């Protein structure tokens, strides 16, 4: 059983639940670690992120929970730092993870995982209908996340969320693998993310099997995260995702324990 999840969202960004309620859900599932990673502030899109003025209250709330539950569970205060967020938005936390939620084209930020029409608009209006250019721009951003030195890379192939990208093409696979290698070169763990399964959008977790196999070949590291927005799905589909990881040839996963990422043999 996976007993650590540090990719969760609360009412401080786009989650459904209070932090205290999520802690109790984690305790009921036998977790030893729970980390909050509400979305960092993005000034060009405030629809789902944590408002800048709420950062102090967020940190104070989690600090109080740490003291309240110190003898029961390890609690961490983190953030999911967007590639385009201001750099100061990742400071002052126990950890930060990172993800690419937008592609910037001609000064406009197009969401990758919002309404799928936004991605199509980016391709049609911003790139003259060239889907490969969108894939290239997305994975350039993903590769550049290596320079941020996050705790790990969240939902690496997020652009496949709605099945609108031809992820079976040679160009797609080559581009994705090059970006993945850039992260693995810097020893950045890759998240096995079940969030889209919990929402009924995808049938398989991120990243795709061919990417998991590259991680195994490179002896890279993976960490599980449910990208939880609803506490009833705190460990959604972890068991099935674990089988995919094993089948890819990955021998251990990382879990956050006692202030550090630690390998757990499968």
């Amino acid at each position: 059983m996976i007993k650590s999840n540090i990719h969760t969202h609360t009412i401080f960004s786009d989650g459904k639940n209070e932090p205290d309620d999520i802690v109790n859900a984690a305790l009921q599932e036998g977790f030893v670690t729970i980390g909050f990673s509400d979305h960092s502030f993005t000034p060009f899109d405030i629809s789902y992120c944590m408002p800048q003025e709420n950062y102090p209250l967020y940190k104070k709330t989690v600090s109080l929970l740490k003291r309240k539950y110190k003898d029961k569970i390890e609690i961490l205060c983190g953030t999911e730092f967007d590639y385009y967020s201001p750099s100061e938005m990742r400071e002052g936390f126990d950890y930060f993870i990172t993800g690419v939620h937008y592609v910037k084209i001609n000064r406009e930020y197009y969401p990758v995982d919002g309404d799928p029409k936004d991605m199509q608009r980016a391709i049609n209006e911003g790139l003259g209908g060239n889907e490969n250019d969108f894939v290239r721009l997305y994975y350039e951003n993903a590769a550049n996340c290596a320079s941020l030195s996050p705790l790990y890379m969240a939902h690496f192939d997020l652009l496949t969320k709605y099945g609108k990208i031809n992820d079976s093409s040679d160009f797609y696979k080559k581009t994705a693998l090059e970006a993945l290698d850039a992260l693995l070169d810097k020893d950045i763990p890759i998240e096995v993310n079940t969030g889209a399964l919990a929402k009924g959008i995808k049938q398989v977790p991120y990243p795709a099997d061919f990417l998991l196999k590259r991680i195994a070949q490179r002896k890279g590291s993976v960490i599980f995260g449910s990208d939880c927005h609803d506490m009833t799905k705190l460990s959604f589909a972890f068991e099935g995702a674990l089988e995919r990881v094993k089948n890819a040839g990955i021998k251990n996963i990382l879990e956050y324990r006692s202030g550090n990422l630690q390998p757990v043999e499968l």
Side-chain angles (χ1 to χ4, degrees), residues 18 21 47 96 114 127 152 168 178 180 204-205 212 224 236 238:
E18 296 276 0
D21 293 332
S47 63
F96 75 93
L127 299 170
Y152 66 79
S168 62
E178 288 174 350
L180 180 62
V204 296
L212 287 174
F224 275 63
F236 190 87
F238 274 4

Side-chain angles (χ1 to χ4, degrees), residues 55-168:
Y55 271 57
L57 179 59
Y58 173 65
K59 293 176 181 178
K60 180 180 179 180
T61 299
V62 179
S63 179
L64 290 172
L65 290 175
K66 288 181 181 184
R67 291 200 290 270
K68 180 179 179 180
Y69 294 100
K70 63 183 178 66
D71 297 325
K72 296 182 178 180
I73 189 171
E74 182 177 10
I75 298 174
L76 301 165
C77 183
T79 186
E80 182 176 0
F81 180 76
D82 183 75
Y83 177 72
Y84 287 113
S85 287
S87 60
E88 63 269 19
M89 295 293 99
R90 65 177 187 263
E91 297 174 356
F93 295 98
D94 295 325
Y95 68 97
F96 75 93
I97 61 180
T98 194
V100 178
H101 301 90
Y102 303 89
V103 168
K104 186 179 180 182
I105 305 170
N106 300 327
R107 299 184 180 180
E108 183 171 351
Y109 296 88
Y110 293 90
V112 171
D113 64 334
D115 188 325
K117 293 179 181 178
D118 290 326
M119 183 186 297
Q120 198 58 53
R121 188 168 60 87
I123 294 170
N124 292 341
E125 297 178 8
L127 299 170
N130 193 324
E131 180 181 297
N132 284 351
D133 277 350
F134 185 86
V135 170
R136 175 181 55 78
L137 289 172
Y138 173 85
Y139 279 118
E140 282 178 358
N141 287 352
N144 288 337
C145 284
S147 66
L148 303 175
S149 299
L151 187 67
Y152 66 79
M153 177 77 190
H155 41 59
F156 172 75
D157 47 348
L158 182 64
L159 79 170
T160 65
K161 181 175 181 177
Y162 291 105
K164 302 298 184 182
I165 293 292
N166 180 10
D167 57 358
S168 62

Side-chain angles (χ1 to χ4, degrees), residues 168-260:
S168 62
S169 73
D170 290 341
F171 178 86
Y172 175 88
K173 290 183 176 181
K174 178 177 183 293
T175 306
L177 287 169
E178 288 174 350
L180 180 62
D181 283 338
L183 293 164
L184 296 177
D185 286 345
K186 296 292 186 179
D187 296 321
I188 294 173
I190 307 300
E191 180 188 46
V192 177
N193 181 302
T194 60
L197 280 78
K199 295 177 180 178
I201 298 172
K202 283 175 66 75
Q203 300 299 312
V204 296
Y206 309 107
D209 288 348
F210 79 95
L211 297 168
L212 287 174
K213 290 177 182 177
R214 175 60 68 91
I215 294 169
Q217 292 167 358
R218 292 285 311 271
K219 294 181 169 57
S221 300
V222 299
I223 182 171
F224 275 63
S226 66
D227 203 346
C228 177
H229 291 71
D230 178 346
M231 67 185 186
T232 65
K233 299 178 179 180
L234 193 59
S235 58
F236 190 87
F238 274 4
E239 186 174 341
L242 190 59
E243 287 305 309
R244 300 186 83 92
V245 166
K246 291 178 181 178
N247 290 339
I250 294 172
K251 304 301 183 183
N252 59 65
I253 63 173
L254 296 176
E255 288 192 0
Y256 203 105
R257 305 278 186 92
S258 303
N260 293 289

